[in-house]
Amino acid sequence: MWRNREVQLYVSIMILIGAVLSGATAFLSTSAAILVLVTSVLLITCSLVFTKWRYREIEKLSGYLRRISNGDYELDVRDNYEGELSILKSDIYKVTLMLSEQRSYLEQDKVKLTNAISDISHQLKTPLTSMMVMADLLSDNKLHETKRAEFTQNIRVQLERIEWLVSSLLKLSKIDAGTVSFKKDNVSVKGLIERAVQSVLIPMDIKEQTLLVEGDNTVTFTGDNHWTAEAMINILKNCVEHTSVGGQVSISFSENPLYTEIKVKDNGHGIPKEDLPYIFRRFYKGKNAGEDSVGIGLAMAYSIITSQQGDIEVRSEQGKGTEFHIKFYNKAST
């Protein structure tokens, strides 16, 4: 404590004031001078004791901070008393909790990153292995032209699959990292649906499926038209893939003072009950998933919709079909 300059200055001033007052009162009375001197000594002593106590408390806090900086987040320095020192202890405790939460989030992010890299590696491994096999077969000079054309087409399909996979993962990474800036436009649901269905018209035509769209042309919501169309495309693709030849996919939309709702329904195979809680999980493949399914489409749709403060839920019954309910809440009511 004595090495602190402010303490040395403080004690010097106190002694000087005591000496001046004692000297001044000595001209009036000797006993008064002695009384002032004793009082000054007592006040200086009390001040030093109090100052030493405060410095000891500050030293304890410094020790706490050193332990916290070393990763010991279990400390609780609060004493629940009134005063600036107790407020400082409470603030240090709040910072400790915040650091602990941040460390927890960082650890979770590390686990997610590790799992994502593992999943991506696994997803890329299959098409790459397939292409390597095809390339070896194509190197055979005696290979028949028909087979050569078939293997070349297979390589093209695998390359398109990898391109789609990488593109989708990049979009998901941008959403997860919060680098996607979702617009807040007045989106016409009718226009959104018309844009989204363009991507599934050919596969629907091949499977001879019918599309039914119902809804008022004036229905709108506040959101990003481009990204929401991306979400709708993935949902529609899922419905088309899991609906048999000759099946039906229907889309209906409506709005009320609270939210705008879009329903996408198919009469396909349905989703097993045990798969329902996980269908929006990344890389999750349910029992009815196709061989080419990766488990990204619905995960991306979920991320896009929830990132715009929307909501999506699914209802399904095996043998009867699946129904997706998408809601975009009216900002004025939230």
Side-chain angles (χ1 to χ4, degrees):
M1 180 181 81
W2 297 107
R3 62 187 177 185
N4 293 288
R5 187 178 177 185
E6 66 271 16
V7 175
Q8 295 171 4
L9 182 62
Y10 172 72
V11 173
S12 299
I13 293 173
M14 292 285 287
I15 291 174
L16 180 61
I17 292 173
V20 170
L21 289 176
S22 298
T25 52
F27 291 102
L28 301 174
S29 169
T30 304
S31 56
I34 294 173
L35 180 60
V36 170
L37 180 62
V38 171
T39 304
S40 299
V41 171
L42 290 174
L43 287 174
I44 293 172
T45 303
C46 290
S47 297
L48 290 176
V49 170
F50 178 71
T51 303
K52 187 176 182 179
W53 174 79
R54 290 183 69 87
Y55 270 85
R56 190 184 299 126
E57 292 295 314
I58 293 173
E59 188 177 352
K60 285 181 182 176
L61 290 179
S62 297
Y64 287 138
L65 288 173
R66 282 193 293 273
R67 291 171 63 183
I68 290 169
S69 65
N70 290 327
D72 187 357
Y73 299 117
E74 302 299 326
L75 294 174
D76 187 352
V77 298
R78 295 173 298 173
D79 55 16
N80 299 318
Y81 293 125
E82 295 288 340
E84 297 300 324
L85 196 60
S86 295
I87 293 174
L88 177 61
K89 291 178 179 178
S90 179
D91 289 341
I92 290 175
Y93 180 71
K94 291 176 183 175
V95 173
T96 304
L97 288 180
M98 185 179 68
L99 290 173
S100 177
E101 289 177 357
Q102 287 180 348
R103 187 183 70 167
S104 177
Y105 290 145
L106 286 174
E107 290 177 351
Q108 290 177 9
D109 288 343
K110 286 181 181 178
V111 172
K112 288 181 180 177
L113 180 61
T114 302
N115 292 336
I117 291 174
S118 176
D119 289 333
I120 293 169
S121 174
H122 177 72
Q123 297 300 333
L124 291 175
K125 188 176 180 180
T126 303
L128 286 174
T129 303
S130 176
M131 285 194 296
M132 290 175 66
V133 172
M134 297 292 173
D136 288 340
L137 293 172
L138 286 172
S139 64
D140 186 359
N141 294 329
K142 298 179 181 178
L143 186 66
H144 193 274
E145 284 302 320
T146 307
K147 284 292 180 184
R148 189 179 298 278
E150 178 185 343
F151 293 157
T152 303
Q153 177 60 24
N154 285 338
I155 290 178
R156 184 184 300 278
V157 170
Q158 295 301 333
L159 284 173
E160 291 174 352
R161 177 181 167 84
I162 290 175
E163 183 186 17
W164 173 82
L165 182 60
V166 172
S167 173
S168 299
L169 289 173
L170 183 61
K171 292 175 184 174
L172 267 176
S173 300
K174 286 181 178 178
I175 295 172
D176 290 345
T179 57
V180 174
S181 181
F182 290 98
K183 296 179 181 177
K184 295 182 179 178
D185 297 329
N186 188 35
V187 179
S188 164
V189 177
K190 180 76 172 179
L192 174 79
I193 300 302
E194 289 176 351
R195 177 178 177 177
V197 297
Q198 293 300 318
S199 299
V200 295
L201 288 179
I202 293 177
M204 288 189 75
D205 186 51
I206 293 172
K207 298 181 78 171
E208 299 178 351
Q209 296 172 347
T210 56
L211 176 66
L212 180 63
V213 181
E214 291 181 328
D216 196 325
N217 293 344
T218 60
V219 175
T220 60
F221 69 94
T222 302
D224 191 298
N225 190 34
H226 172 74
W227 281 101
T228 309
E230 181 83 30
M232 291 300 302
I233 289 170
N234 283 291
I235 293 170
L236 286 170
K237 282 183 177 178
N238 184 276
C239 291
V240 172
E241 289 172 2
H242 292 86
T243 301
S244 303
V245 174
Q248 183 184 73
V249 176
S250 60
I251 305 171
S252 61
F253 47 91
S254 60
E255 66 180 338
N256 59 42
L258 293 178
Y259 54 80
T260 297
E261 184 176 34
I262 305 171
K263 298 179 184 177
V264 183
K265 183 179 180 181
D266 67 60
N267 59 354
H269 312 303
I271 302 171
K273 189 176 180 180
E274 56 270 27
D275 287 336
L276 282 176
Y278 310 107
I279 63 165
F280 296 119
R281 184 179 292 182
R282 199 166 306 179
F283 300 119
Y284 182 78
K285 297 175 68 173
K287 291 180 178 177
N288 293 338
E291 293 181 359
D292 295 333
S293 175
V294 178
I296 288 183
L298 291 181
M300 183 183 296
Y302 180 86
S303 294
I304 291 171
I305 292 168
T306 55
S307 293
Q308 299 181 82
Q309 285 73 54
D311 189 24
I312 180 171
E313 62 180 48
V314 59
R315 300 166 191 172
S316 185
E317 188 173 350
Q318 280 194 279
K320 293 187 177 180
T322 303
E323 187 170 355
F324 293 89
H325 289 243
I326 304 157
K327 293 179 182 176
F328 292 100
Y329 293 93
N330 187 342
K331 300 297 179 185
S333 63
T334 56

